[in-house]
Amino acid sequence: MEVMPQYDLSRLPENTALKQQKLPAHQLDLSASVVLCIFFATGVFCLCMGVVLLLSAKSTKELEINYTNICANCAQLREDSSNFDKECTCSVPFYLLEKMEGNVYMYYKLYGFHQNLYRYVLSRSNSQLLGKDIWDVKDCSPFQMSHNNTPIIPCGAIANSIFNDTITLSYNLNSSIHIKVPMLKSGLAWLTDKYVKFQNPRTSDLASVFAGSAKPLHWTKPIYELDTDDPGNNGFVNEDFIVWMRTAAFPTFKKLYRRLKRVDYFAEGLPAGNYNFHISYNFPVTMFHGEKSVVLSTLTWIGGGGIFLGLTYTVTGALTLLASFAILTIHLMLKRTKKSFL
Amino acid sequence: MSLNEREDEDKHTEDKERILMANDRKFNALFDYPDNSIKTSKYSLFNFLPMNLFEQFQRLANAYFLVLLFLQLIPQISSLAWYTTVIPLIVVLSITGVKDAIDDVKRHQSDKQVNNRSVLVLVDGRVEEDKWMNVQVGDIIKLENDHPVTADVLLLSSSEPYGLAYIETADLDGETNLKVKQAISVTSDMEDNLELLSAFNGEIRCEPPNNKLDKFSGILNYLGVNYFLDHDRLLLRGCIIRNTDWCYGLVIYTGPDTKLMQNGGKSTFKRTHIDHLMNVLVVWIFLVLGAMCLLLSIGHGIWESNKGYFFQEFLPWQHYIASSTTSSALVFWSYFIVLNTMVPISLYVSVEIIRLGNSYYINWDRQMFYAPKNTPAQARTTTLNEELGQVKYVFSDKTGTLTENVMIFNKCSINGKTYGYSYDANGQCVPVSLNNKVDFSYNHLADPKFSFYDNTLVEAVKSEDHFVCLFFRCLSLCHTVMSEEKVEGKLVYQAQSPDEGALVTATRNFGFVFCSRTSETITVIEMGETRVYQLLAILDFSNERKRMSVVVRTPEDRVMLFCKGADTILYELLHPSCASLSEVTMDHLDLLGATAIEDKLQIGVPETIVTLSKAKIKVWVLTGDKQETAVNIAYSCRIFKDEMDEVFMVEGTDQETVLQELRTARKKMKPESLLESDPINICLARKPKMPFRVIDEAPNGDYGLVINGYSLAYALEGNMELELLRTACMCKGVICCRMTPLQKTQVVDLVKRYKKVVTLAIGDGANDIGMIKAAHIGVGISGHEGMQAMLNSDFSFCQFRYLQRLLLVHGRWSYNRMCKFLSYFFYKNFAFTLVHFWYAFYNGFSAQTVYDTWFITCYNLVYTSLPVLGLSLFEKDVNETCSLCYPELYEPGQHNLYFNKKEFLKCLVHGIYSSCVLFFVPMGTIFNSERSDGKDISDYQSFSLLVQSTLIWVMTMQIALRTNTWTMISHAFTWGSLGLYFCILLFLCSDGLCLMFPSTFYFLGVTRNNLKQPQMWLCLILSTVLCVIPVIGYNFLKPLLWPINVDKVLERIHFCLKHPLPLPVQAKIKHPGLRRSAYAFSHKQGFGDLITSGKTMKSSAFKTSKRPL
């Protein structure tokens, strides 16, 4: 705007790019060619990704044995909670068709166990598990105190419901020689959990520190006796305990139980052959219509053998490619009419 | 005792009248009149918090979140930590609170400044200086020239003759011209005699405080005699004393009782269509929310009885849960809390911020700055911006809005000879140019700004042509202009109307200088000779009579009547030798001459109107002016075009004729609209009670309509108004002339009521206030007719042509931005919240949230607020040049195409789709899955982190897709927020924080563990692709497959931008310089009354006045 110099311009707005809405900018213009490029590129990328993921998933081996019904008598025993002190063991034989190469992981898998219920998830005491204030049980409702009003350590519904079956695997070299498959009970939990989030009180004698506390209702032994052999795996930093305390997002989940120690016969993994799971059956599932199984699995860079990602990527890629052809057709068909305004 | 009785009695009658006694503080103190301190501030330091919070919680949205907060505090149903609501609520409240506080601090400061001004008060016979706030009812104060009036005071006496005092009321009503107030004679006799003044003990009974600026009635009882008081005796607070050395006044109303403060009430609050829509949508959301909660609580009941009951070994029911029904009733409220983010808390605050920002753009626009008056455009209301992009009807005043309202004396005809054309040496008529400007140097009193181009008139004056002299004598005498000699030899005229000022100024230049007036004399310097005329009578101008007359006695002792007025009126009064015979008055007048005053069209008016009509905005001119003038203007500013099929005139003077004329017009435009099968007729036949929407009807050509005030009075009656509306709305242009202010309001209201479209009224005068207030948007032109229109408007600027920029650029952008903002805002909250809904099916409907509580707290407030604000403050789909060159782009706003209920449902569906992707893709990814080292990945915290990261990523991509214009700020906001999210995430999961507050922050290490995992990133990419690709496809295909008009224009713009062709240049529209003759309706009553009222007290004034007149 041309302004005559003789006018009083004291109220003339400032001429800045912001105030005049003239900030330098570039326009996002999704023209036909750009859109088509995006579609084709995305389609090809997704398709390739999908194929790679599917192939990776296929390279893993997994074996799952559901022992809910196999150990039916134990299950029945456990439905009555007054039998908690009665031992019940169960042996599950199976035949491994192909050998499992590389690192083999043993999981327990629960069906229909809701670790994600609102009240369940909250029922824990993080400050207690940190070893800072072990008597802090205020968040642990409904498992704060035992019957005789002593604080429970570790308190809360999550700790109380810990998976307490013991599973051992033996390899039947032949009908007479049964070799116990060596398993590692370390390296199961996240490092941050093991070393930061869960800490024992700084003491050499855990039992004395925890004196005056009660063990959780369902537990057969107190927290300081979880692993008496290895003080680094005892108390709050017991890895089975830590793994359980990381609550699952969905009612069906599997948790890492043991890792294969690759020595002797098992240096290259699990050879094919006859195996036996020896299960000390403690964890009740049938009363809430749940199931449990044990899983042996090898892993790849993308984890286990889940095909969800691979399949979805493939489908997405294929659909995107189809869509891009459709768009191309529409674009070409309408191109003539579009030019009419010129 | 008697005093007490008196008090009781007065308390009783307080509602009826106010009693006060001059110079008697003791007596006046009985009535508890407030002191003169004013308090416009709302809060004090102590009550700010409770009062402000109370006010804020009266807003529905805030109250909702307060209720929500209380729900969250009930442990049985609490499903979210209290801080998820408290923190956003506090932020929202404090943003508003800080804004209120800043406003109030400003008010405090101005109050303090005003209250501490000093004023001269008469105390014990002496004039003492005191602060304004200490002035009390009944005090006598002295006011000096150029000082503001302290309170509402009764004028007692002044330095001017007859107790006159001049005031300027700009602060009160915006009018800058002087007004005259006059004291009653009994008090004005006291002059500045302090003894008399302090002995004055008059008792005043007057009406209680009210807000009527032009009404006052009271009685002064002084020495046993009652004197009637009216508003001409009252100086109102807020006025400024002018041209009066001093005056004394008796304080009647103080502080909050003054008329200025009584008028301080907030005017009606306008709400936009989008506001209404938003409220409807929030109700819809509530319904959806309720339905979802119900569904989920039923699900919970079923789950609890089928599974939860048997799961009690691990998680026993709470002791107060008797059955699954109780539990499901409680979970209803738990889900109500979890899903509360469906109703976005920051919606209203964000909308306010966006509107404020877009208002500032209007204030800052240099292209709407009018240099000659040093006035920028101003958005006086900051809540209506997006409605500027939806205007369908513009109602415009004519004088001062389309025209400049600068009256220029252009031509005159004296004794049959026309002056005013410019001639060259050969006697040929030539166009006006500076070269042949008349030289007025012979007259040292001439106004240098005046120019005239016909030397023959000057010669005629110099040769003392009888008729020419008489003509100018008439003009120099017959007016109510006030003169003021500020600097020696420099006269300043105060005229009530620009026409009059123009005439007197012209006369002055030709050598008939009006110098001064008293109530019975007029002093004129005629060609250097001072002559004093005795003024015998003034009949002031009025809108009914449309003329004014003076009777004067010349120095030669001749009595003469001069009359000037509208041509139509005067023709009837003329002597038979001058015009056709008429027997109206006793005496016939002789015609001296006629004047032609030009009021030019403002620059750019025709171009603006053409642009507006291309944008399908209908411009109606509502004017008080006469028909011929209005029609001429309509042609010259292109509302009517020569190529129009027909311009209908409605001039009927009775109901039948008007109806007939309207029907005939409609029959011509659309014959089938009179048939019974016409949809509107069918609708009318059903006699709906509610005002329904009259749909647009397409005529078979271009038509115009002219209707005048008399006919309009009938047309606006009951059943005729729809006839008028239907006929008028079919026309391209409508001119309503000879309208009263009320009719203007009625017309605007009619269209607003039945068309349900956005209306805009634009005007500059006090007669436009009604329509400015009635229309959805009122625009005031700050011009020559005071500032009243501006003060009542929502937007104001100086020139009509800025309207196209206001609507097509600012309005359009504001509308587009607001729509983009709303659709994105609703979408992002749906996508965010509905994830909880899907998760419910996997967690036993236990009201477990998907996200971490801190994420819920920050989502609307921190993570997504800046990008969306950036979008709604900086987004431009096309630049301003294109907006102005292609007015068609304006159309979607008029039909509200960019955000309506359908668009909202699209947002909902899109939100549902996105939430599905956002839930099921991460679920599929981690379900039964593990890391490459066998460790956990399917835990709740990892899932939560994955979903929220994906959500943020998807939302960022969505907003990136919606952003057309990428400025540095957009980049910073969009990508910065994404970065900020990851930073905050790392912080929330950091060891230090989690170890310090283990029970509040428990996501320790989740970020570090998960962001290293390839699954996480693959999931993120997949979700983004699934959410974004369909949107890209839809956006691309929509204009191809289902094009709306605007898409073609946009396509053309994009094409032109890529292949730079010269943009279509707006053709300059040639318009003939049209002149209007005769008096405009806007001509106001002059000072006649006051001038003559001075005369009535001539005798008493003379007796006591010591100064010669």
Side-chain angles (χ1 to χ4, degrees), chain B residues 550-666:
Chain B
V550 289
V551 183
V552 294
R553 188 190 298 276
T554 64
E556 293 84 30
D557 211 21
R558 272 182 73 194
V559 176
M560 295 182 88
L561 169 81
F562 291 107
C563 179
K564 68 171 182 184
D567 50 0
T568 46
I569 301 290
L570 286 186
Y571 266 133
E572 296 172 357
L573 307 175
L574 288 178
H575 189 269
S577 65
C578 299
S580 58
L581 186 75
S582 168
E583 297 292 334
V584 181
T585 53
M586 300 180 300
D587 295 308
H588 298 303
L589 305 173
D590 289 315
L591 178 66
L592 281 175
T595 57
I597 289 186
E598 183 183 348
D599 187 6
K600 275 190 191 153
L601 274 187
Q602 289 182 11
I603 303 165
V605 167
E607 290 85 352
T608 304
I609 288 184
V610 168
T611 312
L612 292 184
S613 66
K614 271 194 207 156
K616 297 280 188 321
I617 299 173
K618 292 192 170 175
V619 182
W620 292 19
V621 175
L622 312 183
T623 174
D625 216 338
K626 54 187 261 185
Q627 191 161 326
E628 300 81 9
T629 323
V631 172
N632 279 343
I633 293 277
Y635 274 107
S636 58
C637 61
R638 311 290 290 167
I639 293 173
F640 289 168
K641 290 167 208 150
D642 293 327
E643 59 270 27
M644 271 185 162
D645 294 295
E646 192 175 341
V647 173
F648 304 109
M649 301 277 179
V650 178
E651 300 165 299
T653 49
D654 61 81
Q655 194 164 354
E656 269 310 298
T657 331
V658 175
L659 181 65
Q660 213 48 52
E661 284 172 325
L662 288 172
R663 286 248 165 111
T664 317
R666 191 140 62 89

Side-chain angles (χ1 to χ4, degrees), chain B residues 161-201:
Chain B
Y162 313 119
L164 290 177
Y166 299 89
I167 52 165
E168 191 184 279
T169 57
D171 284 353
L172 217 53
D173 58 13
E175 292 182 22
T176 47
N177 55 314
L178 292 189
K179 294 198 176 67
V180 184
K181 301 277 171 173
Q182 189 177 30
I184 57 172
S185 54
V186 65
T187 59
S188 65
D189 291 350
M190 293 190 285
E191 297 217 320
D192 56 350
N193 187 328
L194 293 182
E195 274 174 40
L196 285 176
L197 282 169
S198 32
F200 179 68
N201 64 345

Side-chain angles (χ1 to χ4, degrees), chain A residues 20-21 28 246 254 313, chain B residues 364 876 930 939 964 1018:
Chain A
Q20 300 309 315
Q21 303 202 62
L28 178 76
R246 186 152 281 285
K254 61 183 182 190
Y313 260 109
Chain B
W364 287 334
K876 300 181 212 171
E930 55 282 298
D939 63 301
N964 274 314
L1018 285 172

Side-chain angles (χ1 to χ4, degrees), chain A residues 150-311:
Chain A
T150 44
I152 299 173
I153 294 180
C155 67
I158 309 176
N160 182 54
S161 59
I162 193 168
F163 179 82
N164 52 4
D165 284 4
T166 37
I167 306 166
T168 49
L169 179 63
S170 60
Y171 176 51
N172 305 346
L173 198 59
N174 50 44
S175 55
S176 55
I177 306 174
H178 295 213
I179 305 167
K180 193 181 172 198
V181 179
M183 288 287 182
L184 293 168
K185 50 187 177 181
S186 63
L188 311 177
W190 290 3
L191 292 180
T192 47
D193 283 357
K194 170 103 185 166
Y195 296 107
V196 187
K197 198 170 179 181
F198 291 81
Q199 286 169 38
N200 277 326
R202 287 170 196 278
T203 174
S204 51
D205 185 12
L206 280 178
S208 62
V209 177
F210 290 132
S213 70
K215 63 176 172 35
L217 231 54
H218 284 191
W219 286 28
T220 47
K221 46 191 175 185
I223 181 84
Y224 46 87
E225 286 172 16
L226 284 181
D227 189 345
T228 41
D229 306 334
D230 180 4
N233 194 30
N234 200 9
F236 292 140
V237 293
N238 178 276
E239 293 210 26
D240 285 334
F241 176 67
I242 294 174
V243 165
W244 179 256
M245 291 304 283
R246 186 152 281 285
T247 53
F250 293 96
T252 299
F253 59 90
K254 61 183 182 190
K255 291 200 172 291
L256 187 55
Y257 185 65
R258 292 289 179 266
R259 296 188 298 143
L260 176 69
K261 189 177 184 182
R262 290 168 66 182
V263 289
D264 307 332
Y265 288 104
F266 310 102
E268 287 176 6
L270 286 181
N274 279 309
Y275 289 86
N276 231 342
F277 278 126
H278 295 282
I279 296 164
S280 154
Y281 197 114
N282 298 318
F283 194 73
V285 287
T286 48
M287 58 187 184
F288 58 88
H289 316 303
E291 290 178 37
K292 53 185 178 181
S293 54
V294 58
V295 179
L296 288 172
S297 165
T298 63
L299 298 176
T300 165
W301 66 278
I302 196 69
I307 56 163
F308 173 82
L309 270 182
L311 206 63

Side-chain angles (χ1 to χ4, degrees), chain B residues 37-300:
Chain B
S37 61
I38 53 158
K39 187 164 163 283
T40 56
S41 57
K42 275 204 290 205
Y43 314 109
S44 72
L45 202 59
F46 302 103
N47 70 10
F48 174 76
L49 212 58
M51 266 183 75
N52 186 262
L53 284 181
F54 178 72
E55 271 172 25
Q56 290 204 45
F57 282 124
Q58 285 177 337
R59 307 178 80 182
L60 188 71
N62 290 341
Y64 164 69
F65 286 102
L66 192 68
V67 171
L68 205 71
L69 178 63
F70 285 121
L71 283 180
Q72 282 183 337
L73 294 178
I74 303 173
Q76 282 79 6
I77 59 171
S78 169
S79 49
L80 272 179
W82 53 274
Y83 50 80
T84 53
T85 305
V86 170
I87 292 177
L89 193 61
I90 286 177
V91 171
V92 164
L93 292 179
S94 45
I95 289 176
T96 318
V98 165
K99 199 181 123 228
D100 290 348
I102 291 172
D103 288 349
D104 210 52
V105 165
K106 279 185 198 153
R107 283 195 288 263
H108 267 293
Q109 284 168 346
S110 79
D111 284 355
K112 201 173 162 191
Q113 191 251 327
V114 167
N115 286 335
N116 286 322
R117 280 188 200 156
S118 64
V119 65
L120 297 170
V121 185
L122 188 67
V123 183
D124 304 329
R126 286 195 316 277
V127 171
E128 285 178 3
E129 198 163 301
D130 206 342
K131 286 176 179 170
W132 274 36
M133 57 182 175
N134 297 331
V135 170
Q136 291 185 6
V137 172
D139 287 358
I140 290 180
I141 56 172
K142 182 182 182 183
L143 299 164
E144 288 174 323
N145 199 17
D146 294 336
H147 278 58
V149 178
T150 313
D152 289 358
V153 299
L154 176 73
L155 183 61
L156 294 176
S157 63
S158 82
S159 59
E160 303 303 297
Y162 313 119
L164 290 177
Y166 299 89
I167 52 165
E168 191 184 279
T169 57
D171 284 353
L172 217 53
D173 58 13
E175 292 182 22
T176 47
N177 55 314
L178 292 189
K179 294 198 176 67
V180 184
K181 301 277 171 173
Q182 189 177 30
I184 57 172
S185 54
V186 65
T187 59
S188 65
D189 291 350
M190 293 190 285
E191 297 217 320
D192 56 350
N193 187 328
L194 293 182
E195 274 174 40
L196 285 176
L197 282 169
S198 32
F200 179 68
N201 64 345
E203 190 194 64
I204 289 181
R205 287 170 175 267
C206 62
E207 58 187 18
N210 59 50
N211 61 359
K212 299 185 185 97
L213 290 178
D214 52 356
K215 264 195 77 179
F216 173 72
S217 67
I219 292 165
L220 167 68
N221 182 306
Y222 181 50
L223 302 176
V225 186
N226 280 343
Y227 301 88
F228 179 70
L229 305 172
D230 63 8
H231 77 276
D232 276 335
R233 319 278 171 233
L234 205 61
L235 303 179
L236 299 182
R237 179 174 184 142
C239 303
I240 294 168
I241 306 285
R242 298 278 188 219
N243 297 5
T244 311
D245 290 339
W246 51 260
C247 62
Y248 284 91
L250 172 62
V251 177
I252 307 270
Y253 301 119
T254 44
D257 288 346
T258 55
K259 297 200 180 254
L260 175 72
M261 299 308 291
Q262 297 269 319
N263 262 303
K266 190 85 187 151
S267 56
T268 48
F269 189 62
K270 290 184 182 175
R271 290 198 159 277
T272 66
H273 282 70
I274 296 267
D275 274 326
H276 289 292
L277 182 62
M278 233 153 57
N279 290 341
V280 172
L281 296 181
V282 166
V283 171
W284 282 17
I285 294 175
F286 266 116
L287 294 180
V288 172
L289 182 64
M292 283 201 307
C293 292
L294 190 68
L295 205 70
L296 293 174
S297 74
I298 292 172
H300 179 79

Side-chain angles (χ1 to χ4, degrees), chain B residues 779-813:
Chain B
V779 178
I781 301 268
S782 33
H784 302 275
E785 281 196 40
M787 306 206 293
Q788 252 176 309
M790 193 202 106
L791 290 176
N792 286 288
S793 65
D794 304 309
F795 298 91
S796 72
F797 42 72
C798 281
Q799 294 276 293
F800 183 80
R801 65 170 186 274
Y802 298 154
L803 186 64
Q804 61 176 334
R805 202 174 157 78
L806 183 72
L807 298 185
L808 299 185
V809 179
H810 289 286
R812 195 173 163 281
W813 279 344

